[in-house]
Amino acid sequence: LARMNMALALTDLKRFNEAAEQYQKIIDIWPSSSKPHFKYAKVEIINKKYAFAFELLQKGYSLDAAASSEVLTLGDMFADQKAYPFADKTYGLVIAKNPQVEEAYLKICQVYERTGDRDKAVNLLKKGLQKIPESKDLKVKLRSLGMNWEEKK
């Protein structure tokens, strides 16, 4: 607990390399805890070590399948830093593990819009509506892209 508090404090102080060292030590001590993996991933996104951050969040998510909101937050960090391929993969992890999380479809759709891939956004929304046919938000987003959802009867 003391080491986690130290790592959090170092992160708050923007001493990211020192925080990363602490998170690695915490993971070495408690490899089955998802929280340090997610916190460490956050630091490495800030450090622009995107591939390593993605590995950390994958490991954390494998340890805690209920952590979709934490994973979405890390995806947002990738998107904010314009690391779109990693944002795409991160949101995709949530969809793969829990296809009922409509927020993941909306977020990955934003990535596709930012990268100019409208067709990919449309196809993803259609797949999302196959999984969550009652989603008003996915239907509204699809309409905003000039498409309608035709429910199969």
Side-chain angles (χ1 to χ4, degrees):
L1 185 60
R3 195 173 294 277
M4 181 63 92
N5 288 336
M6 180 186 296
L8 291 168
L10 289 166
T11 302
D12 289 343
L13 293 170
K14 300 187 182 334
R15 293 168 55 184
F16 301 119
N17 290 332
E18 292 170 81
E21 289 174 16
Q22 292 303 313
Y23 287 124
Q24 184 58 61
K25 289 176 183 176
I26 295 164
I27 290 170
D28 290 344
I29 296 167
W30 293 290
S32 62
S33 177
S34 64
K35 186 175 180 179
H37 287 85
F38 293 134
K39 298 291 186 189
Y40 193 2
K42 178 181 177 182
V43 167
E44 295 301 19
I45 292 170
I46 292 167
N47 282 335
K48 300 187 183 325
K49 295 179 181 175
Y50 302 131
F52 185 54
F54 184 75
E55 287 177 30
L56 288 165
L57 79 86
Q58 274 185 302
K59 179 62 177 172
Y61 203 24
S62 73
L63 296 168
D64 183 2
S68 293
S69 63
E70 186 72 37
V71 176
L72 289 173
T73 299
L74 293 168
D76 293 345
M77 289 183 69
F78 282 127
D80 290 345
Q81 294 213 7
K82 296 183 171 65
Y84 297 128
F86 290 101
D88 181 353
K89 291 191 323 185
T90 300
Y91 299 138
L93 283 175
V94 175
I95 292 169
K97 247 189 219 267
N98 190 349
Q100 300 299 313
V101 178
E102 74 180 341
E103 186 180 1
Y105 294 96
L106 294 169
K107 287 178 178 284
I108 200 168
C109 188
Q110 286 178 333
V111 167
Y112 294 153
E113 286 182 287
R114 288 178 187 173
T115 59
D117 204 339
R118 180 191 167 281
D119 291 343
K120 214 170 180 182
V122 167
N123 289 333
L124 178 77
L125 290 167
K126 288 179 178 180
K127 286 179 186 174
L129 283 163
Q130 289 173 348
K131 301 289 184 185
I132 319 168
E134 69 282 1
S135 173
K136 290 181 178 136
D137 290 338
L138 295 182
K139 289 175 187 174
V140 167
K141 187 63 183 170
L142 189 60
R143 274 194 299 277
S144 78
L145 294 172
M147 302 295 289
N148 284 315
W149 175 244
E150 299 294 327
E151 292 187 53
K152 294 182 171 94
K153 308 215 181 212

